[in-house]
Amino acid sequence: KGLTKTEGRSPEQVAEWYETGIQRIPLAMRAVSVPTVAAVHGAAVGAGCDLACMADLRLAADTAVFAESFLRVGIIPGDGGAWFLPRVVGQARAREMLFTAAGVPAAKALDWGLASRVVPEAELREAAMALGAEIAALPPQALREAKRLINASEVLDLPESLAMAREMQGRLQQLDDHHEAIDAILEKRKPSFSGR
């Protein structure tokens, strides 16, 4: 029988170990103000699957497999997977993944919305970097606000989401980047955003 990091600890000590350890990762990922992209190749199993779900977007190699495998070892997703996964694939598919611990190959992950794109494994890094560059080329303040709005809208009702959006629009439409974007469209050129 192999030792685990929690062997010999009380339930309270294990809970504290989670709170001060791995559970800091989902909180930090959720707090990142810019969009995040996960490039998944090989097996994203257990905490690896959950980490991928913490990203805003997931690109998968055609060889990738996702699995919510915690029940195979008699535990549950203690790192935020039960919160992130249903928001990515929906309740029914999240429950299927968790309750069966079965692997989800890349093609099915694409169909389920677990991956936004599937690319040949040899092209994964380049595709992820290109997607990141495409996102980073957009106005930075608007990009942060878009992420903040979509995250908040998971728990807001429609009137609250609309109120948040109109407040953001009021500020964003005053920025130099908004004016630069309009000018670039009218002048048929690539915009140059300053972050102001």
Side-chain angles (χ1 to χ4, degrees):
K1 184 176 179 178
L3 293 175
T4 66
K5 291 184 178 186
T6 59
E7 192 167 327
R9 295 183 185 189
S10 71
E12 295 78 15
Q13 289 170 321
V14 172
E16 182 182 351
W17 181 76
Y18 269 85
E19 182 180 8
T20 61
I22 198 165
Q23 288 185 345
R24 292 173 55 200
I25 297 169
L27 295 171
M29 288 293 291
R30 188 67 173 181
V32 173
S33 65
V34 295
T36 55
V37 178
V40 181
H41 64 89
V45 175
C49 181
D50 294 344
L51 184 60
C53 289
M54 292 173 203
D56 295 300
L57 299 166
R58 286 154 300 285
L59 273 64
D62 52 5
T63 57
V65 176
F66 297 82
E68 198 68 0
S69 60
F70 295 97
L71 289 174
R72 288 195 188 277
V73 293
I75 60 173
I76 50 90
D79 58 0
W83 192 87
F84 286 97
L85 187 63
R87 286 167 169 77
V88 173
V89 299
Q91 281 289 338
R93 288 177 171 152
R95 289 168 191 265
E96 181 177 337
M97 286 181 71
L98 179 60
F99 298 159
T100 67
V104 176
K108 186 186 277 189
L110 179 64
D111 182 53
W112 283 13
L114 188 51
S116 60
R117 295 184 200 167
V118 173
V119 299
E121 186 168 14
E123 299 172 18
L124 180 62
R125 181 175 171 79
E126 184 179 319
M129 296 300 286
L131 179 58
E134 183 180 346
I135 292 167
L138 296 169
Q141 287 191 45
L143 192 57
R144 283 181 172 86
E145 292 292 57
K147 180 171 176 173
R148 193 165 71 92
L149 179 62
I150 202 165
N151 283 348
S153 292
E154 291 176 349
V155 296
L156 298 176
D157 63 23
L158 179 59
E160 292 168 325
S161 178
L162 291 172
M164 186 175 188
R166 70 178 167 258
E167 183 271 328
M168 289 176 171
Q169 288 291 55
R171 284 184 291 104
L172 291 171
Q173 289 187 18
Q174 305 307 311
L175 297 178
D176 292 344
D177 279 350
H178 172 66
H179 300 289
E180 168 61 11
I182 299 300
D183 290 345
I185 290 169
L186 295 174
E187 297 167 11
K188 298 181 181 8
R189 61 173 172 81
K190 186 176 177 179
S192 177
F193 298 119
S194 64
R196 297 182 304 221

